Amino acid sequence: MKVNLICHNPALISIFKHPEQTITMDANLLIPPVRSQCMERGFDFSLFQKVWLDPIFAAFPNLAIHEAVYEELVMPSVQSYVQSMLDDSSPRLVIHRDSCGGELPLPRGL
C-alpha cells in the first residue's frame, strides 16, 4: 500500500475538525482483537475498553452503527458495552435501521 503524504484525506480531516458530526462505525472498531491463539496473553475486553473504546466515545459524541453491525456483536462483553451506550440517559450511540420488511419506499417525485 502506498501512502500519499502530499494530499490530505478530506474525510479524515472532516472527522477531526467536526467531531460532533454523526460517525457511523463498523463492527471492527468495536470488537477487540482476540489473539489468544497467537499470544501467551490475549487482549482482554477491559483493557480494550480502557485504551480504545472509552477514548473514542469521549472524543466523538455522535457515534452510530448499522443494525447489521449490532447483530455482529456476539461477545457478551461487547454487547453489554454497546447496550450501555444505547441505554445511557443521553444516548452515546444510535442504531441506523433499514429493516422494514423489504425495500424502503422511494421519496415522492423520484
Side-chain angles (χ1 to χ4, degrees), residues 83-93:
Q83 197 60 51
S84 71
M85 296 294 110
L86 292 165
D87 294 341
D88 197 67
S89 59
S90 177
R92 312 274 316 281
L93 182 69

Side-chain angles (χ1 to χ4, degrees), residues 36-78:
S36 57
Q37 310 91 305
C38 307
M39 298 171 49
E40 212 170 284
R41 288 176 284 173
F43 202 95
D44 72 339
F45 184 78
S46 61
L47 180 59
F48 181 71
Q49 178 182 338
K50 178 181 175 182
V51 300
W52 181 255
L53 291 176
D54 289 345
I56 287 175
F57 278 88
F60 303 103
N62 294 312
L63 294 171
I65 57 174
H66 186 270
E67 64 186 340
V69 167
Y70 184 75
E71 293 170 9
E72 289 181 48
L73 306 176
V74 296
M75 292 176 59
S77 53
V78 176

